[in-house]
Amino acid sequence: MKLVTIAGPPSSGKTAVTVKAIASLQQEGVQVGVVKFDSLSTQDQALYEKQGVPVTTGLSGNLCPDHFFVSNVCDCLSWGVQKGFDLLVIESAGLCNRCAPHIQGVLAVCVIDNLSGVDTPKKIGPMLKMADVVVITKGDIVSQAEREVFAYRVRQVNTNATIMNVNGLTGQGGHELGRLLVDAPETVDLAGKLLRFSMPAALCSYCLGQRKIGSDFQMGNVKKMAFP
Amino acid sequence: MPTNRVEKSLSTIPMAELVQRAPFVEDFFTSHGLALPGEGVSPSAYFAALDSELLEDLGLERQGLTERFMAYMELLEELKAGSGGSRIESITIRGGHDKSGQPEALELTIKPGEVVCIVGPTGSGKSRFLADIEWMAQADTPTGRSILINGRIPDPGQRFSIEHKLVAQLSQNMNFVMDLTVEEFITMHAESRMVEDVSTVTAAIIDLGNDLAGEKFTPRTPVTALSGGQSRALMIADTSCLSTSPIVLIDEIENAGIDRKRAVHTLVDKRKIVLMATHDPILALMGDRRLVFKNGGISAIIATSAVERANLALFEEMDAKLGAVRNALRKGERIEKTG
């Protein structure tokens, strides 16, 4: 089975472009399944179901969504194999820009939108910088000049990626994205594979449920800001 | 794709010398959230000395940095090489089929400086047609069309190259999402294109935009304060001077605040291929040909006839009359005279 990870900031259009790409693949008879990761709640399951896509949702609740993703990714793969999919798409929540669910040897897609501003590409870490495919959305509502500058800024931080524009509303570019997704390498087993980049360290008293503020209550991996 | 345009030892050259060779080299560091290396330090030495904790925080890997840097320098070279104007002499569209599978018997070749109009109702396949061109379809899209560049099948690598993007779109519902003045905005675009003389090019674009716009704006006007017509005028000026895309798609030019005829001529003068989705008779008749879309395919190609051209004068007269009435309304006059 082919496997793809799709990540991007909240509301960048991950689900919309994924649905369009899958719709185009379905017409060619490709069996596609989706696992959607989110933190609190998501309506995206319904969007996939409406398109007739088998989908499972994983809610991380009070755990870090990306750590939750890695802990469950092998089971996602098994589910996809058991269902007999040709292609499994794992859509992550992508909440902090420092995180990335991308795995070595697995096609990695990052979705970002033009509306987030031309400085955004430099603010996003490995999720963008280590992606194989960068999908830029919401191009229809910004000027041509902004589109060109935005694409250039993406290229600056990820010189090797395939950069494409997809319109999540009209579906323009969705067919082309679908072609890239089905060309993903086959993934038989994930055990032992490496994440493309380590996830942010997070093991302090607050991870463990502490609510009180003040240095007496800070333990573990604590980092202090420097003030001028 | 790397073309090995830059020498391998580039990353061992001290920054001071690199900046002289390529002023935009500093952007690599700022865009990755890194401080600039000292003048006497080479990028390789700088990467080797970076604090591991800082790299971890930024989400960067030390061993990949030199490679990324070299790829960035290649990109700069490519952009500089590409800014010499488009080398596209023709684009050929080989017909596929419509939504019912009926063959589209055509081979359409368009050359720079031509204006081609696109007509047909919503859902008739106009957007798909443009997507086919942008993707340089090779019978691998739902329409089965193929695109040839200069009479040849294009290199597949060009599909995703931002330097060889075929279509620039000036859509009707575009906005500026940046809070910048006109001058800052155009400067930013010019810089991303690596043009040699940013301030001269910027000034020229603003002048040209003002020529096309009905009401004037200044370099210090915020882009978000421009009217629809002014925005469109500025973007046409900007695209004609800065965009490397050989094809410009315009979806309708509203009949306010912009000299539509001159706008189209500006793009033609810059040797752009102008594709115009319009049902405005004046714009449609300015085209050399119009493509009629129906059920996902091109159902006819109509060359503008001599009679139609003659009618254009008539439509322009009517348009001028309506324009005068509009102006009278704006000035608060009565519009009782219709002659």
Side-chain angles (χ1 to χ4, degrees):
Chain A
M1 185 179 64
K2 291 163 185 293
L3 181 65
V4 178
T5 55
I6 297 189
S11 303
S12 55
K14 296 182 289 297
T15 305
V17 298
T18 308
V19 166
K20 298 291 181 194
I22 293 176
S24 165
L25 293 175
Q26 284 174 327
Q27 288 188 352
E28 296 168 25
V30 182
Q31 296 293 317
V32 190
V34 172
V35 179
K36 163 79 192 184
F37 279 90
D38 221 320
S39 44
L40 293 178
S41 72
T42 179
Q43 270 76 55
D44 294 340
Q45 169 126 6
L47 292 173
Y48 285 114
E49 281 168 352
K50 203 172 148 199
Q51 185 60 43
V53 183
V55 54
T56 294
T57 300
L59 290 180
S60 58
N62 68 344
L63 294 180
C64 162
D66 292 292
H67 291 219
F68 176 72
F69 156 82
V70 193
S71 318
N72 285 283
V73 71
C74 288
D75 298 332
C76 295
L77 188 78
S78 309
W79 176 71
V81 171
Q82 181 212 323
K83 290 279 180 186
F85 300 141
D86 302 312
L87 168 70
L88 178 69
V89 175
I90 301 182
E91 186 196 327
S92 84
L95 294 176
C96 86
N97 287 339
R98 165 60 180 76
C99 243
H102 304 323
I103 300 164
Q104 286 179 7
V106 174
L107 185 73
V109 180
C110 177
V111 180
I112 49 173
D113 72 287
N114 274 299
L115 285 184
S116 62
V118 290
D119 287 329
T120 299
K122 72 170 85 159
K123 292 181 195 160
I124 303 179
M127 179 164 78
L128 172 65
K129 295 190 177 90
M130 294 188 177
D132 304 310
V133 176
V134 179
V135 173
I136 305 178
T137 58
K138 303 182 193 171
D140 54 330
I141 36 186
V142 302
S143 62
Q144 173 68 22
E146 281 161 292
R147 271 198 298 276
E148 289 184 11
V149 173
F150 195 86
Y152 169 69
R153 299 269 173 105
V154 169
R155 178 62 84 207
Q156 264 188 334
V157 297
N158 189 339
T159 31
N160 293 321
T162 295
I163 300 175
M164 61 187 308
N165 288 281
V166 180
N167 184 326
L169 294 179
T170 63
Q172 193 170 338
H175 169 82
E176 290 74 8
L177 176 60
R179 296 257 43 93
L180 295 180
L181 299 187
V182 284
D183 282 345
E186 291 282 335
T187 302
V188 180
D189 191 6
L190 284 170
K193 288 219 180 200
L194 290 177
L195 284 168
R196 295 197 184 190
F197 202 78
S198 64
M199 293 192 165
L203 204 69
C204 68
S205 41
Y206 295 101
C207 303
L208 299 167
Q210 177 61 272
R211 291 172 66 194
K212 281 191 184 144
I213 299 167
S215 54
D216 286 352
F217 310 104
Q218 298 163 355
M219 277 178 292
N221 195 351
V222 175
K223 187 163 131 185
K224 291 294 184 183
M225 283 169 67
F227 290 92
Chain B
M1 296 302 109
T3 47
N4 296 322
R5 237 188 266 261
V6 297
E7 51 194 293
K8 293 217 163 51
S9 58
L10 208 61
S11 66
T12 59
I13 296 173
M15 272 304 278
E17 196 187 327
L18 279 178
V19 171
Q20 288 218 318
R21 287 206 205 175
F24 290 102
V25 65
E26 293 180 342
D27 277 0
F28 176 81
F29 299 94
T30 51
S31 67
H32 283 82
L34 294 165
L36 290 177
E39 286 198 343
V41 183
S42 74
S44 284
Y46 173 79
F47 298 143
L50 280 170
D51 183 32
S52 300
E53 207 171 311
L54 173 78
L55 286 172
E56 180 81 10
D57 283 351
L58 289 170
L60 294 171
E61 271 175 332
R62 193 190 309 277
Q63 69 264 35
L65 275 173
T66 300
E67 201 181 307
R68 279 172 180 273
F69 175 76
M70 294 302 284
Y72 176 76
M73 294 307 282
E74 295 241 355
L75 172 69
L76 290 190
E77 283 302 313
E78 243 175 80
L79 283 172
K80 264 200 271 174
S83 61
S86 72
R87 283 146 291 169
I88 288 189
E89 285 134 39
S90 74
I91 289 176
T92 305
I93 297 115
R94 280 197 181 145
H97 48 77
D98 69 9
K99 283 178 190 165
S100 332
Q102 290 298 313
E104 198 180 40
L106 64 91
E107 180 161 312
L108 173 70
T109 298
I110 316 177
K111 298 202 161 92
E114 275 189 73
V115 179
V116 176
C117 292
I118 297 173
V119 297
T122 307
S124 57
K126 295 178 285 182
S127 302
R128 183 66 250 172
F129 173 73
L130 286 162
D132 283 347
I133 296 180
E134 264 210 285
W135 177 250
M136 303 187 206
Q138 297 304 322
D140 58 352
T141 66
T143 61
R145 292 192 187 108
S146 317
I147 307 297
L148 304 180
I149 307 293
N150 299 340
R152 286 188 302 272
I153 295 171
D155 165 20
Q158 279 192 23
R159 276 187 168 174
F160 301 108
S161 149
I162 60 166
E163 300 77 53
H164 299 111
K165 214 166 151 33
L166 276 183
V167 185
Q169 287 200 34
L170 299 176
S171 61
Q172 206 168 20
N173 52 353
M174 70 111 190
N175 290 290
F176 295 110
V177 291
M178 265 179 281
D179 193 11
L180 295 176
T181 66
V182 167
E183 187 171 31
E184 289 164 341
F185 183 82
I186 302 296
T187 300
M188 184 186 68
H189 191 201
E191 282 173 351
S192 83
R193 290 255 72 103
M194 313 279 143
V195 300
E196 299 247 314
D197 189 352
V198 171
S199 57
T200 311
V201 171
T202 302
I205 291 170
I206 296 172
D207 283 348
L208 182 56
N210 263 314
D211 273 354
L212 301 176
E215 288 174 285
K216 306 297 162 204
F217 54 88
T218 77
R220 277 161 300 285
T221 308
V223 284
T224 46
L226 297 175
S227 72
Q230 287 172 328
S231 308
R232 194 57 89 91
L234 182 64
M235 274 306 94
I236 285 174
D238 171 89
T239 301
S240 68
C241 299
L242 280 179
S243 179
T244 53
S245 304
I247 302 178
V248 179
L249 166 78
I250 308 177
D251 88 66
E252 209 68 90
I253 305 182
E254 51 284 281
N255 189 10
I258 179 165
D259 185 336
R260 293 176 295 168
K261 237 179 146 170
R262 287 205 49 205
V264 174
H265 284 151
T266 299
L267 293 165
V268 168
D269 288 346
K270 296 281 181 183
R271 309 298 297 158
K272 298 287 185 189
I273 292 173
V274 181
L275 294 180
M276 214 165 15
T278 185
H279 296 144
D280 178 306
I282 294 177
L283 289 175
L285 293 182
M286 274 175 67
D288 307 300
R289 282 177 282 183
R290 51 189 193 271
L291 311 180
V292 184
F293 281 82
K294 200 174 153 188
N295 192 30
I298 298 174
S299 65
I301 302 175
I302 302 176
T304 307
S305 68
V307 178
E308 284 181 323
R309 288 240 191 263
N311 284 345
L312 179 58
L314 192 70
F315 294 137
E316 281 175 339
E317 207 176 294
M318 288 158 73
D319 187 57
K321 262 186 204 167
L322 266 180
V325 174
R326 227 176 261 123
N327 261 335
L329 271 173
R330 190 175 292 136
K331 287 187 205 149
E333 292 166 11
R334 284 198 177 277
I335 46 170
E336 286 169 351
K337 268 190 283 180
T338 54

